[in-house]
Amino acid sequence: QLQLVESGGGLVQPGGSLRLSCIGSGSNLENYAIAWFRQAPGKEREWVTCKDSSDWLTWYTDSVKGRFTISKDDAKKTVYLQMNSLKPEDTANYHCAAAEEGKSGYVCNVGTGFNVWGKGTLVTVSS
């Protein structure tokens, strides 16, 4: 049973960078699509980015295109979210999530069908 744990959040000034990590345990990541979501205080959860299980296809929500990059290291069972040029509106609790290929009707570029979730790591962008 795959489990996910996020880390790397913190306080950063506008324009700064952070790299979030999502470490998997209990199963390999090769057969999973991985997505990052975020939820700001008082707002609904928002899909941010997704990399499908083939590791070839990646999608980003418009507000982070050109600033955020998702990557995966299967050997380390880790997925990263590199966040550059951070803005105050990026402040949120960031969660990674996984969907197993062939067993979940996930849609990567929409963020539906993900059934394994980490607890999140808080990112605060403020001066």
Side-chain angles (χ1 to χ4, degrees), residues 11 15 24 43 58:
L11 174 64
K43 294 188 177 181
T58 304

Side-chain angles (χ1 to χ4, degrees), residues 4-10 20-22 36-39 92-97 117-123:
L4 302 172
V5 177
E6 304 92 336
S7 63
L20 306 183
S21 299
C22 171
W36 286 92
F37 295 78
R38 65 186 180 186
Q39 187 165 18
N93 197 29
Y94 283 72
H95 300 264
C96 62
W117 292 82
K119 293 184 178 181
T121 184
L122 182 62
V123 172

Side-chain angles (χ1 to χ4, degrees), residues 6-120:
E6 304 92 336
S7 63
L11 174 64
V12 62
Q13 292 187 343
S17 298
L18 279 176
R19 189 178 78 161
L20 306 183
S21 299
C22 171
I23 300 176
S25 62
S27 184
N28 294 323
L29 294 182
E30 289 94 336
N31 294 325
Y32 288 84
I34 302 294
W36 286 92
F37 295 78
R38 65 186 180 186
Q39 187 165 18
K43 294 188 177 181
E44 293 188 354
R45 187 173 64 202
E46 176 189 20
W47 169 82
V48 176
T49 180
C50 180
K51 179 178 284 291
D52 81 340
S53 60
S54 73
D55 208 14
W56 281 91
L57 299 176
T58 304
W59 292 267
Y60 298 92
T61 192
D62 286 346
S63 62
V64 308
K65 284 180 181 177
R67 301 189 299 122
F68 289 14
T69 303
I70 185 173
S71 61
K72 189 167 74 162
D73 186 333
D74 287 330
K76 295 183 178 179
K77 296 184 179 181
T78 302
V79 178
Y80 302 99
L81 183 65
Q82 178 66 43
M83 306 186 296
N84 299 328
S85 303
L86 283 161
K87 305 175 181 180
E89 52 264 42
D90 295 318
T91 295
N93 197 29
Y94 283 72
H95 300 264
C96 62
E100 190 171 4
E101 188 67 47
K103 294 185 179 180
S104 170
Y106 76 91
V107 180
C108 210
N109 61 341
V110 177
T112 57
F114 287 82
N115 55 3
V116 181
W117 292 82
K119 293 184 178 181

